[in-house]
Amino acid sequence: MAPAAKTVCVMDASSGTGSALVAALLQRGYNVHASVQNHEELQCVKGNTNKLKVYRSDPLDYHSIMNALKGCSALFYSFQPPPDHSTYDELMVEIEVRAAHNVLEACAQTDTIEKVIFTSSVTAVIWRDGIKTMSSDVDERHWSDVNLCKKFKLWHALSKTLAEKTAWALAMDRGVNMVSINGGLVMGHDLTINNPYLKGAAEMYEDGLLVTVDLKFIVDAHICVLEDVSSYGRYLCFNNIINSHEEALTLAHMLLPPSSEAFSHSSLEESVVYQQGISNKKLIKLMVDFEGGVSC
């Protein structure tokens, strides 16, 4: 359970997951420093004003990060592309890696930080040669192959992989207690076909690796790994797998207009069901006794 006096930072709090996390933390009795990149995003962050402080922090500006972290015992960090460069490409890879380095360095220099929850992605895990010939499911021990990501221009996967590896290297070097949440495709209201996570979705689907996660589940997972002192390393976070024609069609309905060819029943084999090729057992085991909502 969360001690009421605990103060934590959420960065970037303007994302769908970030803002939901802020709300959940406030409900559990935490004091929250909500960090956003620009003032236009301040209205996205709402909650008990007595327990909420909003900061403008640029992940490429070390001093602004330090300011948001003052007095905090933990940081929830997720990268949000800057407003002037929202497309994942080679440049975004460099930006996200630099941001991860700055944030972990700032945490290392902040005496009060006890744990960092680093939001990564399943795309930092699944892109490897020979997936279909593996004797066991893909899990948190695996990493996406950097050269394969570059070859097929999987910029989101490359960005998440290199940023997370940078964060882990710095955390281990500086003695920062870090845990990562490698989330699936977050099923929020703003989900579209242009989500960079979906690059290579057909291949994910055929390999049994196309996974999604409900907003509440990924928020609960973040809070669980903070509050459970036994949490460590990486956690694959998803609560649904798209591995049948029916599920694929449902997802397509959410992502595409009704006139799209994706709705043609002939475009997918009705009978196809792909074997699941990924495991989230480590997270499910950790969360078995977790109770979301207000802390007692």
Side-chain angles (χ1 to χ4, degrees):
M1 293 299 180
K6 285 275 190 179
T7 300
V8 299
C9 180
V10 177
M11 180 186 302
D12 190 299
S14 64
S15 67
T17 302
S19 59
L21 183 56
V22 169
L25 288 164
L26 290 170
Q27 188 181 29
R28 286 179 79 80
Y30 287 92
N31 299 309
V32 179
H33 289 190
S35 169
V36 297
Q37 289 190 46
N38 60 62
H39 290 292
E40 287 71 28
E41 295 169 335
L42 298 184
Q43 61 186 0
C44 299
V45 183
K46 300 175 182 178
N48 185 339
T49 54
N50 294 325
K51 290 184 171 290
L52 175 66
K53 292 183 180 179
V54 184
Y55 294 79
R56 182 182 181 277
S57 301
D58 182 346
L60 300 182
D61 180 353
Y62 178 80
H63 295 290
S64 71
I65 300 169
M66 291 289 288
N67 188 44
L69 292 178
K70 285 181 181 177
C72 292
S73 62
L75 168 67
F76 295 91
Y77 172 72
S78 63
F79 177 78
Q80 188 75 353
D84 60 345
H85 192 107
S86 59
T87 304
Y88 267 85
D89 54 17
E90 286 183 276
L91 177 58
M92 184 61 74
V93 176
E94 180 183 340
I95 292 172
E96 185 160 356
V97 170
R98 285 172 54 202
H101 183 278
N102 281 348
V103 169
L104 265 294
E105 185 61 53
C107 289
Q109 300 302 324
T110 305
D111 294 337
T112 57
I113 292 291
E114 299 170 359
K115 184 179 281 188
V116 175
I117 296 87
F118 187 96
T119 306
S120 185
S121 173
V122 166
T123 62
V125 174
I126 61 174
W127 290 109
R128 300 157 47 87
D129 279 325
I131 286 288
K132 291 182 178 179
T133 61
M134 289 178 59
S135 58
S136 59
D137 289 342
V138 172
D139 61 23
E140 66 281 344
R141 296 170 296 180
H142 298 99
W143 287 90
S144 288
D145 183 276
V146 169
N147 291 326
L148 186 146
C149 291
K150 289 178 179 177
K151 178 180 178 181
F152 293 104
K153 298 184 178 180
L154 298 164
W155 304 126
H156 183 270
L158 181 63
S159 188
K160 296 301 178 184
T161 302
L162 292 180
E164 189 189 343
K165 283 192 171 186
T166 296
W168 276 117
L170 202 57
M172 288 186 283
D173 183 63
R174 300 287 195 273
V176 176
N177 179 19
M178 187 178 110
V179 178
S180 73
I181 296 287
N182 293 72
L185 180 67
V186 180
M187 303 304 284
H189 67 275
D190 55 349
L191 182 63
T192 72
I193 191 63
N194 297 319
N195 189 304
Y197 182 105
L198 289 165
K199 179 71 178 294
E203 288 77 13
M204 293 185 213
Y205 174 60
E206 291 176 3
D207 290 339
L209 301 172
L210 181 54
V211 292
T212 65
V213 60
D214 295 331
L215 186 59
K216 184 182 185 304
F217 186 84
I218 196 169
V219 167
D220 283 349
H222 277 74
I223 296 174
C224 179
V225 299
L226 169 67
E227 295 181 358
D228 194 321
V229 294
S230 70
S231 65
Y232 71 96
R234 308 168 86 201
Y235 290 89
L236 296 193
C237 182
F238 60 90
N239 60 350
N240 186 44
I241 180 162
I242 310 298
N243 64 343
S244 70
H245 168 77
E246 183 180 0
E247 289 170 321
L249 204 58
T250 298
L251 180 60
H253 271 283
M254 295 180 62
L255 298 173
L256 297 166
S259 60
S260 170
E261 290 182 4
F263 293 105
S264 169
H265 282 252
S266 61
S267 64
L268 293 168
E269 293 182 33
E270 293 266 4
S271 60
V272 68
V273 175
Y274 293 105
Q275 183 176 352
Q276 179 173 335
I278 188 167
S279 171
N280 61 350
K281 290 180 181 178
K282 183 183 176 187
L283 178 63
I284 297 303
K285 183 178 179 180
L286 187 77
M287 293 183 68
V288 68
D289 294 322
F290 178 77
E291 295 180 9
V294 180
S295 177
C296 298

